[in-house]
Amino acid sequence: MTDRFWRKATLAPTIVVYAGMALFPVLNLIAMSVHDITWAGGAAQWRFVGFAHYAHLPDDVLLRAGVVNTLLFAMGAVSVQMVLGFALAFATTQIDRGRTFYRALFMLPILVPGIVIGAIWKLMYNFDFGVLNQLWELLGGTAQDWLGQPALALPAVIAVDVWHWTPFVFLLMLAGLESLPQDIYEAARSDGATAWQELVHLTLPLMLPTIAVTLIFRLIVAFKVFDEVYLLTGGGPGTATEVLSFTIYRRFFQQDLTGPGAAMSIATLFILALAIVLASAVARRRAQYA
């Protein structure tokens, strides 16, 4: 009893500090979301408006575009990253020589700072001298304005995110694959199982917990995408690459609409939290019936 008490007592300060750091910004956002904040004489003037900002969210054209584009971005980028990351990790586990080299090679993009990635890819997408247009013209195509055409801008940003974050998925998948028990595979091979049967009936079912955790984490990060959009397109052309994080940034820092920006932030946070809870509940229920 004494040991349990002291364990809790020693952890209590850390828990209190962490809870304060996590809850205070959220509580401050909630307070701002129900106020109309203006500046006069160098001081903030708070006027209570209740849920007026939340009521106007469905009428916000930029927000609607941001929600649609964020969903498209998250589904497109994360699905490709999951498939490609698993394929690269699985292929790496089948290699005996040079495995360390391939690991280091696949991990390089995630080590590059976001500002550098934006500069590199913006040069590569350049209409006049970008390497992508040069390669495209060598193949017989015509130069494309990759970041200036509404139909191409969002896929171009998704491609950058895939290049940047696939190594993260690769790393988690590789760790999961290398931790699988080998005696199960030896028993399957002794029963005459083919490589495809091992993949479908052994590897994928055993990797489901790792796949689920990686998928949830990547979806959360994808919904918060900002740097690629800010550096490459600035939300344009028009609203073709407008995403939730960039819309909130516009409201807060470009238009000084603190209340509506806070309401958007709280709504986004609530939706993400609800999605995480539902996904966790579904994964837990499937694990119970598996």
Side-chain angles (χ1 to χ4, degrees):
M1 185 68 178
T2 304
D3 292 341
R4 183 182 302 176
F5 170 77
W6 282 110
R7 283 198 298 267
K8 294 180 179 179
T10 53
L11 286 175
T14 302
I15 295 174
V16 170
V17 172
Y18 179 78
M21 294 176 61
L23 290 177
F24 178 75
V26 176
L27 295 176
N28 191 41
L29 273 177
I30 293 174
M32 289 191 295
S33 69
V34 295
H35 286 83
D36 191 15
I37 304 174
T38 56
W39 294 85
Q45 307 294 324
W46 292 53
R47 183 174 63 88
F48 182 76
V49 295
F51 294 97
H53 295 315
Y54 292 96
H56 291 136
L57 288 182
D59 301 327
D60 193 313
V61 177
L62 279 181
L63 181 62
R64 292 203 299 268
V67 170
V68 173
N69 289 333
T70 302
L71 290 173
L72 292 175
F73 177 90
M75 291 187 294
V78 174
S79 60
V80 176
Q81 290 163 12
M82 294 296 294
V83 173
L84 189 57
F86 180 85
L88 291 174
F90 184 77
T92 302
T93 59
Q94 308 303 310
I95 298 174
D96 295 325
R97 298 182 58 183
R99 183 179 298 184
T100 303
F101 169 77
Y102 287 109
R103 287 181 184 176
L105 181 65
F106 294 149
M107 286 299 299
L108 283 177
I110 203 173
L111 302 177
V112 182
I115 185 69
V116 178
I117 291 175
I120 291 173
W121 279 89
K122 196 160 189 176
L123 289 173
M124 292 174 62
Y125 281 137
N126 188 274
F127 180 81
D128 297 314
F129 53 82
V131 64
L132 291 179
N133 270 338
Q134 294 182 23
L135 293 174
W136 187 244
E137 289 175 346
L138 286 176
L139 296 174
T142 57
Q144 300 291 325
D145 189 2
W146 302 99
L147 301 177
Q149 296 185 49
L152 296 177
L154 187 61
V157 176
I158 290 175
V160 176
D161 193 76
V162 168
W163 180 84
H164 186 198
W165 283 103
T166 296
F168 176 81
V169 178
F170 162 78
L171 182 63
L172 294 185
M173 294 296 180
L174 183 63
L177 287 170
E178 291 186 340
S179 66
L180 297 181
Q182 296 302 311
D183 54 342
I184 299 178
Y185 289 92
E186 293 174 1
R189 294 189 189 104
S190 65
D191 291 337
T194 63
W196 176 253
Q197 290 173 330
E198 290 181 7
L199 175 63
V200 174
H201 299 291
L202 291 178
T203 304
L204 288 178
L206 291 173
M207 283 289 293
L208 279 180
T210 302
I211 293 173
V213 171
T214 306
L215 178 62
I216 292 173
F217 189 85
R218 279 300 306 134
L219 283 174
I220 293 172
V221 177
F223 268 93
K224 299 189 300 180
V225 61
F226 175 81
D227 48 354
E228 286 106 340
V229 173
Y230 178 80
L231 294 169
L232 292 173
T233 64
T239 58
T241 58
E242 187 78 24
V243 292
L244 277 173
S245 297
F246 198 77
T247 305
I248 295 171
Y249 164 78
R250 286 183 191 272
R251 296 293 184 255
F252 265 112
F253 300 106
Q254 292 184 342
Q255 302 171 348
D256 200 22
L257 297 175
T258 306
M264 289 181 188
S265 301
I266 294 299
T268 303
L269 181 63
F270 175 78
I271 293 171
L272 283 176
L274 182 62
I276 294 170
V277 171
L278 291 176
S280 300
V282 171
R284 193 180 301 113
R285 178 171 296 183
R286 288 186 176 180
Q288 291 177 351
Y289 290 101

